Amino acid sequence: MAYTIAFFDTKPYDEASFNEKNKEFGYELRYYKGHLNKNNVILTQGVDAVCIFVNDTGDSEVLRMMADNGVKILALRCAGFNNVDLDAAAAVGITVVRVPAYSPYAVAEYTVALMLSLNRKIPRASWRTKDGNFSLHGLMGFDMHGKTAGIIGTGKIAKILIRILKGFGMNILAYDLYPDYNFAREEQIVYTSLDELYHSSDIISLHCPLTEQTKYLINDYSISKMKDGVMIINTGRGQLIHTNALIEGLKNKRIGSAGLDVYEEEGEYFYEDKSDRIIDDDVLARLLSFNNVIVTSHQAFFTHEAMSNIAVTTLQNIKDFLSQKPLLNEVKR
């Protein structure tokens, strides 16, 4: 009998990529559209593994019920794991694995796309010309060449981004709790303090993990230290930015523009079609009202290459667990 995996919060593109890669593994895959939560955890009865995404719930109650159903492994098809109670998972004997990197190029390239779209007002220009308005009024941008980009967090994605931005001729300031000085020497970038990065950067891009220390890293106080007109980009985690502080910064013109592929309360909306409903999240609705803000639905990772890597790594994580091999991508407290 084939090993059975239940997938939650799935879309057609998830099924396509996992079905293709599963030809090499031979598991029985069951797909469910709903987010995993206490109301549908009954669907994990009779399965060996559960696979979830960023907006599924992995709290202590859900994990206990999964364990009662015989589930031994929870596979995250994403890098983040803040939606899983790791202590509770350990307590009930569920192993947690993840996909630490899908395609750093995908996210880095998308980050640049947000920068260019905001700077050159490309969405506004496109809307105008579709309406027959070919005026240039209000569409002026700036040369990226010679400007300073502040990169917070210098992992794989950020390093690729830095190389791309250096191709534009930008100056790079970086901040990381664990600086990679060899990389800094190779790329001729400068590690600095957060205060100096805030003070000197024309564009600030967030690439650090979400921890207790980084939650709401961008807040009223940090924004007050930034250059007037700074551009803020977040393709990392929504809660790196205190959204109300961001909105206030946009209103008082301290922040010139913002590109957000993540949002701190995105779970209710992102990856779903809500076009026939009123957005009742007042903060999100306010963000969407600014013509100098781009909000996208957590899609920076979304390339053919990334989806293929996610499927292969997820299925291999489960195979390694079954084979009792070392779990390179296990997540522990």
Side-chain angles (χ1 to χ4, degrees), residues 2 11 33 43 46 112 166 168 171 196 213 223 240-241 293 317:
K11 302 292 187 290
K33 294 181 180 179
L43 296 172
V112 177
K166 286 194 68 197
F168 282 96
N171 304 310
E196 177 58 28
Q213 290 71 39
I223 290 171
L240 295 174
I241 295 180
V293 173
N317 284 340

Side-chain angles (χ1 to χ4, degrees), residues 40-277:
N40 63 8
V41 71
I42 191 173
L43 296 172
T44 66
Q45 288 183 348
V47 305
D48 302 292
V50 171
C51 182
I52 64 173
F53 199 44
V54 294
N55 292 326
D56 292 297
T57 300
D59 61 18
S60 59
E61 183 177 8
V62 167
L63 289 164
R64 178 183 54 77
M65 296 171 75
M66 283 172 48
D68 290 343
N69 290 338
V71 175
K72 297 297 184 184
I73 181 168
L74 177 63
L76 296 161
R77 58 184 189 274
C78 53
F81 49 87
N82 51 290
N83 56 330
V84 176
D85 186 331
L86 297 177
D87 291 331
V92 298
I94 291 180
T95 298
V96 181
V97 291
R98 66 174 182 140
V99 183
Y102 351 121
S103 170
Y105 296 97
V107 181
E109 291 166 7
Y110 192 84
T111 301
V112 177
L114 285 175
M115 292 178 184
L116 291 171
S117 296
L118 285 167
N119 177 21
R120 303 309 300 270
K121 320 293 193 296
I122 292 172
R124 293 179 66 192
S126 178
W127 299 333
R128 281 190 187 184
T129 54
K130 287 179 186 296
D131 198 37
N133 179 357
F134 298 90
S135 165
L136 298 184
H137 180 71
L139 300 181
M140 186 177 290
F142 57 83
D143 287 359
M144 303 271 280
H145 180 88
K147 299 299 187 298
T148 298
I151 310 300
I152 301 179
T154 54
K156 292 180 180 179
I157 292 169
K159 286 174 179 173
I160 293 167
L161 173 64
I162 286 168
R163 292 188 178 107
I164 295 172
L165 296 181
K166 286 194 68 197
F168 282 96
M170 297 192 75
N171 304 310
I172 308 295
L173 294 177
Y175 174 81
D176 197 298
L177 284 175
Y178 306 99
D180 185 340
Y181 290 115
N182 288 331
F183 174 77
R185 281 192 295 270
E186 290 169 7
E187 297 298 330
Q188 297 183 316
I189 68 167
V190 177
Y191 277 104
T192 187
S193 66
L194 276 176
D195 281 357
E196 177 58 28
L197 186 147
Y198 293 145
H199 176 75
S200 301
S201 298
D202 300 291
I203 301 174
I204 294 174
S205 192
L206 306 178
H207 300 279
C208 51
L210 178 62
T211 65
E212 287 302 315
Q213 290 71 39
T214 62
K215 184 176 180 180
Y216 296 148
L217 181 70
I218 304 302
N219 53 48
D220 288 324
Y221 181 66
S222 57
I223 290 171
S224 71
K225 299 180 178 182
M226 297 177 189
K227 275 187 177 183
D228 285 345
V230 67
M231 178 191 294
I232 295 179
I233 305 290
N234 189 8
T235 53
R237 291 289 178 264
Q239 288 188 327
L240 295 174
I241 295 180
H242 192 293
T243 310
N244 284 322
L246 179 72
I247 288 171
E248 190 59 34
L250 288 160
K251 287 167 60 179
N252 64 30
K253 308 298 191 295
R254 172 72 71 174
I255 298 172
S257 58
L260 310 174
D261 187 50
V262 288
Y263 168 61
E264 60 175 310
E265 301 293 339
E266 68 184 51
E268 183 69 23
Y269 291 92
F270 283 23
Y271 304 122
E272 307 298 335
D273 182 356
K274 303 285 187 177
S275 58
D276 61 342
R277 305 179 189 178

